[in-house]
Amino acid sequence: MISVENLTKTFSLTTRSNVHRTQKLDSRQQDGVFNALTGVSFHCQRGEVLGLLGPNGAGKTTTLRILSSALKPDSGQVRINDIDVIKSPMAAKQKIGFLSGKTGLYGRLTARENIEFFARLHGVSDDYLGNEALQIYENLAISEFLDRRVEHLSTGMQQKVSIARAVIHKPDVLVLDEPTTGLDIMATETILEFIQLMKEQGTAVIFSTHHLDEVGMLADRVTVINNGVSAFSDSMEAFRQLSPDRNLRRSFMHVLSQEVTHVASV
C-alpha cells in the first residue's frame, strides 16, 4: 500500500516569470513564496486504482513528483509499505514506476534499448528481459516496434514505450501523470487496458487525468486536489454519491465548490 499524509510544498517566487505563472492563484502566493501544496493526503491499497483529479495548477503534478522522489516536500510523509519515500528515496525508487509528460526517452536509441537501459539501472536480470519482459511488450502492443529508433515512433507508441520502461522492474506502485493526453483512441485503449491489467496483478496504480470517463472505468478510489489541498479522497462510490444522479462531472464540480474537505481515514 502507498500512504500519503499531509504533504506541503512551497516554491520561491524569485523571478517575474514565476509571478506571472501564478498570478491567477493569489490566495496561495504570499511573502515571496507560492504554496503549491498545503495539505494533501490519500492512500491506495495493493490492487487498487486511484484516480487523481483537479483543475490545472491544483498541485497534482507536484504531488506525483514527490511520490516519485523527484521532489522533496517541506513536510508530510509518503510510505510504500514499510519504506519511507522521503527518507529512503533510493529504496523507494525500486518500488515505484513513474511516468510523466517530462519523462523523456532517448530518441536515437531503439525502444528496446531504452527499456533495457533503465531496466539495468534497476538491476533487472538479462534472463528476465529475455523472457518475462516479452509479456509486457505484448500487453502494450509494442513487440513489432522494439527495434525501431524512438525518434521514428508515433506519439502514442512512444508513450507505450515509456510505460514499459516504467514497469520493467515490476514496481509495487505505478504512478502515471496524464498517461493518455494527446493520444488517439486506439493508443488510449491499450494504455487503459494495461492499467486494468496492472490492477489485476496486484499493483497499486495512481494516475492523474482530466478525463472523468477514464476514472469511471478504472478507479476504485478518487482524490481531488484543489488549491493545494485534498478536497476529497474516498472510494469511487462515495464520489458518485456526491451527485444526485451519480454523474462524475457534477460530483467533481460539487467538490470544487465546497469549503469543507472530505478525506477518508485509512
Side-chain angles (χ1 to χ4, degrees), residues 27-39:
S27 64
R28 296 159 67 189
Q29 176 184 327
Q30 55 184 245
D31 299 327
V33 299
F34 175 64
N35 298 303
L37 304 179
T38 56

Side-chain angles (χ1 to χ4, degrees), residues 148-163:
R148 291 190 190 180
R149 280 190 180 184
V150 163
E151 62 190 358
H152 300 313
L153 298 179
S154 68
T155 300
M157 195 58 61
Q158 289 181 12
Q159 187 74 325
K160 293 179 187 179
V161 172
S162 293
I163 292 177

Side-chain angles (χ1 to χ4, degrees), residues 5-13 28-30 33-40 57-67 69-77 86 227-229:
E5 299 294 339
N6 202 31
L7 293 181
T8 69
K9 181 64 180 177
T10 61
F11 295 99
S12 297
L13 298 175
R28 296 159 67 189
Q29 176 184 327
Q30 55 184 245
V33 299
F34 175 64
N35 298 303
L37 304 179
T38 56
V40 169
K60 300 188 301 299
T61 295
T62 298
T63 299
L64 296 185
R65 289 184 66 201
I66 291 172
L67 266 58
S69 74
L71 191 66
K72 188 174 182 179
D74 297 328
S75 63
Q77 186 178 73
I86 298 165
N227 291 325
V229 176

Side-chain angles (χ1 to χ4, degrees), residues 5-51:
E5 299 294 339
N6 202 31
L7 293 181
T8 69
K9 181 64 180 177
T10 61
F11 295 99
S12 297
L13 298 175
T14 56
T15 66
R16 292 179 62 87
S17 60
N18 280 340
V19 174
H20 176 73
R21 282 196 295 269
T22 60
Q23 63 183 359
K24 294 182 179 180
L25 302 168
D26 289 338
S27 64
R28 296 159 67 189
Q29 176 184 327
Q30 55 184 245
D31 299 327
V33 299
F34 175 64
N35 298 303
L37 304 179
T38 56
V40 169
S41 301
F42 57 84
H43 65 274
C44 185
Q45 301 281 357
R46 185 177 184 274
E48 283 187 338
V49 174
L50 182 144

Side-chain angles (χ1 to χ4, degrees), residues 177-196:
D177 190 4
E178 300 186 14
T180 63
T181 297
L183 304 187
D184 64 24
I185 293 174
M186 295 305 296
T188 295
E189 186 66 16
T190 299
I191 290 173
L192 296 181
E193 289 176 353
F194 188 76
I195 292 174
Q196 178 65 32

Side-chain angles (χ1 to χ4, degrees), residues 51 53 207 209 211-219 222 236 248:
L53 302 173
F207 78 105
T209 182
H211 302 294
L212 290 171
D213 59 324
E214 295 178 359
V215 174
M217 287 171 55
L218 295 171
V222 176
M236 169 58 77
L248 295 182

